[in-house]
Amino acid sequence: MASKVAVVTGANKGLGFSIVKGLCLKFDGVVYLTARDQKRGLEAVEKLKALDLHPEFHLLDVSDENSIKDFADYIKTKHGGLDVLVNNAAILEWNEIYPTYEAAKRNIEINYQSLLSIEKWLYPLLTDGARVVNVSSACGHLSNLKNKKWLETLQKKDLTTKEINEFVEEYLGSVRNGTFNKDDFADEGKHAEHRVSKTAMLALTMVQQRKYQNKNISINAVHPGHVKTDMANGGGDLEADEAAQTILYLIMDASPNLKGVFMWHDKKIVDWYDYEGDYYCKDVW
């Protein structure tokens, strides 16, 4: 019987590294640590080997569709399928609370638009019973948005990927042409680009789960907490190994009937659609 296969993106450090570590300890199969920098990825693998853990490494730059396609071809040829996919790769640039168009575009390309290419090339490889976890944050909850038109669109039960893309492009257009409105967001729109990318990721999670409803695939999203990583800019109150536990729970222990949910770091399921709730991100500056 072929070995099961798990893949974690953006895994050479921080939370991704801890997820790989946890999978190596618990997952009965091959675990791929992927990263866009080969040197750093191989160094991360060596650190785990020193702990008597043995992940495989593969180069994967989620911002490059050709890189995603090459990786998908490799997985298909070597393993035939994919059982676990953790979409963890993400960026947050701290130097501008209200980013330039180029910085906003960069964040959205990596944090959201890469998932569209991942769906195109890797989702066809998902096996029966596969689990996908999208690593988001409090920035992904719908309460980060105040723009009524956006809220009405994203709450639709028949929401489409095209409509999510239009929401993203409308935000980017406002940054590009100077019409960005802080009132469209919670907390004066600080790091609105991150709120948009992570909200779009959550919306896509819901759309994808509905799209694959007839297949035995669980697609969920998680807010792992405020993790002590580079992305937290020196802040954070959770160690990466601790934060990884919620993601590992969704992969290893959660009911396969848990589909299309947004899980908080305490393993509670929150209502993503509750845009009046107090779930919005308050710690991204």
Side-chain angles (χ1 to χ4, degrees), residues 81-136:
L82 180 59
D83 302 276
V84 171
L85 174 60
V86 181
N87 290 310
N88 171 71
I91 62 167
L92 172 56
E93 298 178 46
W94 285 91
N95 55 347
E96 297 172 84
I97 293 175
Y98 299 104
T100 61
Y101 171 72
E102 289 74 19
K105 187 169 181 286
R106 193 159 49 240
N107 182 290
I108 285 167
E109 282 176 347
I110 292 175
N111 294 1
Y112 166 65
Q113 290 170 339
S114 67
L115 299 176
L116 303 178
S117 297
I118 286 171
E119 179 182 356
K120 178 180 177 181
W121 297 109
L122 286 174
Y123 278 40
L125 303 180
L126 292 172
T127 61
D128 181 66
R131 299 194 179 198
V132 178
V133 179
N134 293 326
V135 180
S136 184

Side-chain angles (χ1 to χ4, degrees), residues 31-64:
V31 180
Y32 278 93
L33 183 158
T34 72
R36 62 180 175 176
D37 185 295
Q38 182 159 332
K39 181 174 181 291
R40 291 175 182 171
L42 290 172
E43 287 173 351
V45 166
E46 289 305 312
K47 288 178 184 176
L48 290 170
K49 285 182 177 178
L51 301 174
D52 200 28
L53 303 174
H54 301 280
E56 299 286 334
F57 171 73
H58 202 285
L59 194 67
L60 177 60
D61 181 352
V62 300
S63 67
D64 180 352

Side-chain angles (χ1 to χ4, degrees), residues 158-196:
D158 60 350
L159 180 68
T160 65
T161 301
K162 180 175 181 288
E163 288 172 316
I164 302 172
N165 292 340
E166 288 170 353
F167 151 64
V168 167
E169 290 303 324
E170 186 172 336
Y171 159 71
L172 283 175
S174 76
V175 177
R176 185 176 56 239
N177 61 30
T179 60
F180 169 75
N181 185 357
K182 296 178 183 179
D183 293 338
D184 285 338
F185 299 90
D187 206 23
E188 300 180 327
K190 295 169 183 173
H191 281 294
E193 83 289 357
H194 204 62
R195 299 177 198 273
V196 168

Side-chain angles (χ1 to χ4, degrees), residues 220-246:
N220 297 301
V222 64
H223 164 40
H226 195 195
V227 189
K228 295 178 183 178
T229 63
D230 291 350
M231 196 178 293
N233 196 32
D237 52 18
L238 287 176
E239 296 295 341
D241 284 359
E242 183 182 359
Q245 294 308 307
T246 306

